[in-house]
């Protein structure tokens, strides 16, 4: 026994002397080049650490950790101090929930591993010393989780633009001022679609084959509006020229007027002129042989004034006012009773401060079988209208309940007005339309 111990002691003494004489210890090599030279792989056994309440504690004397379990927020990692500076620690975040894990201000993205070195009394990440800030979290091609748009973003932090490429060719540029350019590297507005005028600019809707073009296009100073056109080259449904001319359904891109409409135009719910003294004047429009909308000549011809009033028996009531001096008109007055009897009378009217002011009855009829046209009793500035054979009405009207008199009088300021006098025995409503037919 003593002999065996002496032999073992001798062997250990020889090994110790040999190791001290060499520059290092070699494993699977007789020529170590460093203090410890391993010829082959080194295994650091991985230790699984389960996350609980979004926290994980690293045990002492380990080199590689796999975080498991699930989290609902960023995981707070606690790790013990290393016995020696320079110790390495690798942490793999394999938790569910998609959240990062943070150690000493460094965040390990979910699904990623990060290496730490113990230095200056704490664990330091070896990823260029970057901490858990927006600049240290990479954007993954499969997407990121646990991000905050107020701190995590895709872009630049210096005064430089952002270029997006496909097939290594720039397709979009965002300038430092926020302008976005598609088809241009120097956008001059919030959205700039570039200077190319021969291609489709913007499609609001298109089919899968690109055969239908719904949207906008620009070419040669023209803004096109297309709806369900077969191709973008088809004539637009509406075009706005840079000169301000608008074409609708013209089958071309060159409107010939400020508004060029090929087809009908419709105005829905056109408001009526205010009833009363006729201060508002409606001016009818016409079109010439080329379809241009025009006013008729002479100036003012066709202008319409109107009024609606209710007159008491024997009362003279203003029905149309502000009639210009030096004008001729055709006046139509309608009146009806509660027995559905309607009477219409027409007059010629002249407003002339040179002595030609006059009103004269010209015709009329009543919607009652057997009643003849009215009889007109006239002075130069008044015309009385009476109907023969009109029966009384259940609203209290007698046989003269539809009779009335029209007057034209000066109203001051170089204008004239029309008054109606109810010659019946009950209140009556009157409607008058005054159409201008000429000028002195």
């Amino acid at each position: 026994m003593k002999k065996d111990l002496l032999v073992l002691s001798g062997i250990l003494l020889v090994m110790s002397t040999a190791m001290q004489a060499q520059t290092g210890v070699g494993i699977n090599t007789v020529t170590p080049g460093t203090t410890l030279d391993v010829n082959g792989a080194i295994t650091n056994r991985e230790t699984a650490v389960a996350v609980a309440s979004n926290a994980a504690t690293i045990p002492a004397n380990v080199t590689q950790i796999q975080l498991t379990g699930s989290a609902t927020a960023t995981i707070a990692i606690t790790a013990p101090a290393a016995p020696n500076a320079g110790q390495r620690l690798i942490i793999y975040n394999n938790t569910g929930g998609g959240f990062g894990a943070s150690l000493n201000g460094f965040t390990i993205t979910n699904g990623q591993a990060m290496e730490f070195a113990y230095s200056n009394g704490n664990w330091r990440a070896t990823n260029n010393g970057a901490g858990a800030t927006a600049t240290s979290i990479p954007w993954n091609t499969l997407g990121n989780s646990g991000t905050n748009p107020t701190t995590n973003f895709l872009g630049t932090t210096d005064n430089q633009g952002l270029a997006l490429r496909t097939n290594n060719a720039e397709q979009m540029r965002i300038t430092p001022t926020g302008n976005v350019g598609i088809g241009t590297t120097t956008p001059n507005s919030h959205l700039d679609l570039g200077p190319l005028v021969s291609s489709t600019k913007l499609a609001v809707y298109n089919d899968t084959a690109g055969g239908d073009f719904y949207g906008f296009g620009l070419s040669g100073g023209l803004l096109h509006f297309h709806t369900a056109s077969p191709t973008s080259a088809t004539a637009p449904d509406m075009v706005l020229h840079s000169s301000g001319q608008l074409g609708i359904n013209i089958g071309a891109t060159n409107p010939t007027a400020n508004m060029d409409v090929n087809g009908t135009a419709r105005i829905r719910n056109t408001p009526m002129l205010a009833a009363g003294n006729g201060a508002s004047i409606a001016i009818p429009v016409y079109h010439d042989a080329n379809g241009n909308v025009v006013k008729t000549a002479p100036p003012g011809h066709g202008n319409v004034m109107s009024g609606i009033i209710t007159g008491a028996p024997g009362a003279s009531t203003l029905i149309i006012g502000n009639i210009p001096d030096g004008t001729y008109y055709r006046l139509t007055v309608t009146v009806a009773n509660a027995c559905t009897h309607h009477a219409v009378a027409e007059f010629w009217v002249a407003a002339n401060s040179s002595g030609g002011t006059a009103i004269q009855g010209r015709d009329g009829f009543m919607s009652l079988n057997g009643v003849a046209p009215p009889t007109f009793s006239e002075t130069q500035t008044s015309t009385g209208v009476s109907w023969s054979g009109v029966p009384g009405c259940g609203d209290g009207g007698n046989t003269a309940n539809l009779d009335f008199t029209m007057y034209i009088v000066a109203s001051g300021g170089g204008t004239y007005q029309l008054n109606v006098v109810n010659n019946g025995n009950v209140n009556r409503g009157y409607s008058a339309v005054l159409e201008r037919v000429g000028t002195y």
Side-chain angles (χ1 to χ4, degrees), residues 107 109 112 114 127 133-141 143-145 147:
T107 297
T109 304
Q112 301 292 319
M114 183 179 291
N127 61 337
T133 63
T135 59
S136 69
I137 303 175
W139 285 105
N140 299 316
T141 56
N144 285 47
S145 60
T147 61

Side-chain angles (χ1 to χ4, degrees), residues 18-95:
M19 292 172 65
Q20 291 178 7
Q22 296 180 14
T23 58
V25 176
I27 299 177
N28 200 27
T29 178
V30 296
T31 57
T34 59
T35 302
L36 177 61
D37 189 346
V38 179
N39 183 15
I42 298 176
T43 299
N44 294 320
R45 297 298 178 94
E46 185 179 71
T47 302
V49 175
V51 173
S53 301
N54 299 321
T57 301
I58 306 300
N61 197 26
V62 295
T63 302
Q64 185 159 321
I65 293 295
Q66 178 183 168
L67 298 180
T68 62
S70 185
T72 58
T74 300
I75 302 164
I77 301 175
T78 302
N84 300 308
Q87 180 176 329
R88 293 294 196 270
L89 174 63
I90 299 175
I91 301 176
Y92 169 42
N93 183 0
N94 191 33
T95 57

Side-chain angles (χ1 to χ4, degrees), residues 32-301:
T34 59
T35 302
L36 177 61
D37 189 346
V38 179
N39 183 15
I42 298 176
T43 299
N44 294 320
R45 297 298 178 94
E46 185 179 71
T47 302
V49 175
V51 173
S53 301
N54 299 321
T57 301
I58 306 300
N61 197 26
V62 295
T63 302
Q64 185 159 321
I65 293 295
Q66 178 183 168
L67 298 180
T68 62
S70 185
T72 58
T74 300
I75 302 164
I77 301 175
T78 302
N84 300 308
Q87 180 176 329
R88 293 294 196 270
L89 174 63
I90 299 175
I91 301 176
Y92 169 42
N93 183 0
N94 191 33
T95 57
F99 293 93
S102 178
L103 173 60
N104 194 28
F106 300 94
T107 297
I108 309 161
T109 304
N110 188 264
Q112 301 292 319
M114 183 179 291
E115 182 180 22
F116 294 82
Y118 193 82
S119 177
N120 195 27
N122 217 329
W123 294 101
R124 316 290 176 181
T126 60
N127 61 337
N128 298 322
T133 63
T135 59
S136 69
I137 303 175
W139 285 105
N140 299 316
T141 56
L142 297 180
N144 285 47
S145 60
T147 61
N148 184 344
T150 61
T151 55
N152 306 120
F153 60 89
L154 181 66
T156 63
T157 57
D158 54 5
N159 191 29
Q160 298 295 323
L162 176 67
L164 300 182
R165 298 187 178 195
T166 60
N167 198 26
N168 203 30
E170 182 173 329
Q171 306 297 341
M172 186 170 73
R173 173 75 65 93
I174 305 176
T175 68
T177 59
N179 289 344
V180 177
I182 300 176
T184 176
T185 60
T186 56
N188 295 314
S189 57
H190 288 313
L191 178 61
D192 191 335
L193 301 182
L196 188 61
V197 299
S198 60
S199 63
T200 299
K201 285 290 185 181
L202 175 65
V204 176
Y205 172 80
N206 214 326
D207 63 12
T208 56
D212 289 328
F213 176 62
Y214 298 75
F216 309 98
L218 183 68
S219 61
L222 300 171
L223 179 61
H224 297 181
F225 296 83
H226 296 264
T227 57
S229 299
T231 68
S232 58
T234 302
D237 299 286
M238 185 168 68
V239 60
L240 179 63
H241 196 279
S242 58
S243 64
Q245 293 178 322
L246 177 66
I248 301 175
N249 198 31
I250 61 175
T253 58
N254 54 337
T256 58
N258 287 341
M259 176 174 283
D260 189 346
V261 180
N262 181 19
T264 59
R266 182 178 183 183
I267 302 175
R268 296 176 181 266
N269 300 323
T270 306
M272 296 292 294
L273 288 175
N277 64 5
S280 299
I281 299 176
I283 303 175
V285 294
Y286 306 86
H287 68 80
D288 62 15
N290 297 319
N292 295 310
V293 176
V294 296
K295 296 179 182 178
T296 189
H301 181 75

Side-chain angles (χ1 to χ4, degrees), residues 328-356:
Y328 291 113
Y329 293 90
R330 181 172 58 218
L331 172 66
T332 303
V333 179
T334 59
V335 60
N337 59 26
C339 300
T340 67
H341 301 151
H342 300 269
V344 179
E346 285 192 333
F347 308 81
W348 292 119
V349 176
N352 185 355
S353 58
S354 299

